[in-house]
Amino acid sequence: MKSNQPVDWEEIQLGELFTAHYGKSLTQKNRVPGKYKVYGSSGITGTHNEFLVKGPGLIIGRKGTIGNVYYEKNSFYPIDTTYYVKESNRYDLLFLYYKLKTLDLDKMNTHSAVPGLNREQLYSIKTKFPKITEQKAIANILSTLDEKIETNNQINEKLEEMAQALFKHWFVDFEFPNENGEPYKSSGGEMVESELGMIPKGWEVKTINDISSEIITGKTPSTKEKENFGGNIPFVKIPDMHGKVYVEKTETYLSEKGAVKNKIVPKNSIMVSCIATPGIVSLAGQSCQTNQQINTIINKDNKMCYFNFFSLRNLSDTIRTLGSSGSATLNLNKNQFSKIKIVVPPKEMTDKYFNVVDKIFETIYLNQKENLKLIELRDTLLPKLMSGEIRVPLDNETLVEQS
């Protein structure tokens, strides 16, 4: 127990505070897609038309991915790899959520073959809790940060949908505005045969190699030489790309020694995963390098970056199919990747698209940057607020640091 914890906080054994209820089995074949989120030990696994628990509530991973804690404000369905915790007048549920996240539950594995979190071991944990009024004040600060992060994510999702909808309208449906401002195809614009089907007159079928000034396959420096790592050069791996328009922060960073000079990827380059999980597409948020599982398109014309981004996103299924060669690990090599064909409009069309959506992408980028700062602030405050090292006056005007 930390010595700086305040004396007016009560030490409580978790088993005396709440009940961890077992989730209930819900196989895929028995699920009916609906409005209620289904939670497993690693998070949301789908939806169902019925709920098991009236929200809000907490979900704790108990088998497989143990110790993960989720807060759900709406009614939900926790499956049998989880525990769930209901609201109570004995604690503030949001405070309990943040408290549990600081208790290293993921390290409490009691099963050898399949990781498991024993309920009695969970109940045996002792920790200190403030009075419920202070719990609410602390939870309010942390949840305000989380809500802002979620708001930014929702805004980015909508902005991305807008930019993608316009891309589809212009470059897939061929309804870009003609010289009279009318939708090209439906207004009788001339279409011609191509190897990829009918396309507008003046458009071309090109390869990824044609639209790139260079295609860079990343490389991992020797992990035996520790001096190759720990610098300030972002080193992008596939997990860094999941769910991201821009990759700005990475789990691993290279040193100047570890970086390979001819593998530098400039901002707004298109990074595409081609091995293991092929078909994930992200923009480089800053100059970086990638590992060998990623091929990166260096844009021949920077104003084509957003067109190239969505073109590659639209080819995700093709990339996955090409990477399925029958081997255990999916693998699309650079040569195959460079020969993938896309329909490319005249430069004035990609320039016009760039000018329309550039502000959209800039806002997405700035929101992602802001979220990184908010996450860093939240993660810095979390252990200090949960331990009482920083106290929150009940008027919420200032934060006070414990001496």
Side-chain angles (χ1 to χ4, degrees):
M1 197 62 61
K2 291 183 178 180
S3 59
N4 61 358
Q5 287 195 324
V7 293
D8 57 326
W9 286 25
E10 180 186 4
E11 186 172 72
I12 300 176
Q13 197 164 311
L14 294 184
E16 299 171 356
L17 189 67
F18 65 81
T19 300
H21 303 274
Y22 287 96
K24 186 177 179 181
S25 176
L26 182 65
T27 61
Q28 286 289 346
K29 71 175 183 178
N30 289 327
R31 295 185 193 183
V32 180
K35 66 178 183 178
Y36 302 108
K37 295 172 187 173
V38 177
Y39 278 89
S41 59
S42 58
I44 298 168
T45 64
T47 63
H48 192 48
N49 66 336
E50 296 179 348
F51 66 86
L52 180 66
V53 182
K54 182 176 175 59
L58 304 185
I59 303 95
I60 304 170
R62 76 170 187 90
K63 188 183 292 186
T65 307
I66 70 166
N68 285 350
V69 187
Y70 310 96
Y71 174 86
E72 177 54 61
K73 62 182 178 180
N74 301 309
S75 298
F76 60 97
Y77 201 111
I79 63 173
D80 55 350
T81 59
T82 69
Y83 299 118
Y84 66 87
V85 179
K86 296 181 178 180
E87 272 192 310
S88 170
N89 58 12
R90 299 201 63 206
Y91 49 81
D92 178 76
L93 189 67
L94 262 176
F95 178 88
L96 179 60
Y97 162 70
Y98 289 114
K99 185 67 158 180
L100 291 174
K101 287 175 76 70
T102 67
L103 297 180
D104 295 329
L105 301 183
D106 59 322
K107 295 181 174 61
M108 299 180 67
N109 179 29
T110 57
H111 297 67
S112 55
V114 179
L117 175 62
N118 181 278
R119 186 162 66 164
E120 296 309 313
Q121 192 174 2
L122 173 66
Y123 283 166
S124 70
I125 297 173
K126 290 182 179 180
T127 187
K128 286 195 170 185
F129 275 70
K131 292 179 180 177
I132 199 160
T133 50
E134 191 171 354
Q135 289 182 36
K136 289 180 182 294
I138 292 170
N140 181 61
I141 289 173
L142 295 169
S143 64
T144 297
L145 293 171
D146 275 336
E147 286 166 9
K148 175 58 177 168
I149 292 166
E150 180 57 28
T151 297
N152 282 346
N153 286 337
Q154 290 173 357
I155 291 171
N156 280 359
E157 200 174 302
K158 295 298 180 186
L159 290 173
E160 185 183 347
E161 286 174 6
M162 289 166 55
Q164 188 166 22
L166 185 63
F167 175 89
K168 180 179 182 297
H169 191 61
W170 283 13
F171 304 120
V172 178
D173 301 332
F174 306 128
E175 296 290 20
F176 56 91
N178 63 15
E179 63 274 11
N180 298 318
E182 300 168 332
Y184 181 86
K185 187 176 179 181
S186 58
S187 298
E190 186 176 353
M191 304 290 287
V192 297
E193 280 280 1
S194 81
E195 57 188 301
L196 295 181
M198 300 296 289
I199 63 174
K201 184 179 180 181
W203 291 36
E204 299 177 83
V205 173
K206 295 186 176 182
T207 65
I208 288 178
N209 192 58
D210 293 331
I211 64 170
S212 312
S213 65
E214 185 181 3
I215 298 173
I216 294 177
T217 302
K219 182 178 180 180
T220 301
S222 173
T223 55
K224 294 178 180 178
E225 298 180 36
K226 292 183 179 179
E227 59 269 28
N228 285 334
F229 300 90
N232 57 9
I233 300 169
F235 184 56
V236 181
K237 294 179 280 189
I238 292 176
D240 299 313
M241 299 170 63
H242 284 288
K244 303 277 182 26
V245 173
Y246 286 96
V247 176
E248 179 68 18
K249 184 179 180 181
T250 55
E251 182 183 347
T252 305
Y253 286 78
L254 300 178
S255 65
E256 291 290 339
K257 181 182 182 301
V260 182
K261 288 183 180 179
N262 63 353
K263 300 290 185 181
I264 295 171
V265 172
K267 182 178 178 180
N268 277 348
S269 299
I270 319 299
M271 302 182 294
V272 184
S273 63
C274 290
I275 298 177
T277 314
I280 302 171
V281 183
S282 296
L283 288 160
Q286 59 176 304
S287 178
C288 60
Q289 296 202 6
T290 79
N291 72 359
Q292 63 279 3
Q293 295 183 319
I294 298 166
N295 283 318
T296 301
I297 294 174
I298 311 302
N299 299 296
K300 184 174 285 186
D301 175 355
N302 189 53
K303 283 198 170 185
M304 284 189 70
C305 62
Y306 307 136
F307 171 83
N308 291 345
F309 171 73
F310 281 124
S311 293
L312 269 294
R313 279 272 179 103
N314 277 6
L315 287 168
S316 289
D317 289 341
T318 300
I319 292 168
R320 277 192 290 272
T321 300
L322 290 172
S324 304
S325 58
S327 60
T329 302
L330 303 182
N331 186 347
L332 177 65
N333 66 43
K334 180 179 176 178
N335 184 50
Q336 293 171 303
F337 177 73
S338 68
K339 292 178 180 178
I340 293 173
K341 294 177 180 178
I342 62 173
V343 176
V344 180
K347 179 175 170 17
E348 58 265 25
M349 282 301 304
T350 51
D351 283 358
K352 187 172 184 179
Y353 181 71
F354 177 90
N355 292 335
V356 171
V357 302
D358 187 40
K359 285 293 182 186
I360 290 176
F361 276 87
E362 183 182 353
T363 302
I364 290 172
Y365 176 72
L366 292 174
N367 282 344
Q368 280 195 214
K369 291 265 288 184
E370 182 181 33
N371 274 2
L372 289 175
K373 292 178 182 177
L374 291 170
I375 290 168
E376 184 180 4
L377 175 60
R378 180 202 63 197
D379 292 348
T380 299
L381 286 175
L382 179 61
K384 295 179 183 293
L385 289 168
M386 288 298 118
S387 66
E389 181 181 344
I390 293 177
R391 300 296 296 273
V392 183
L394 298 186
D395 60 8
N396 282 342
E397 288 180 359
T398 55
L399 296 180
V400 179
E401 189 165 351
Q402 284 285 107
S403 59

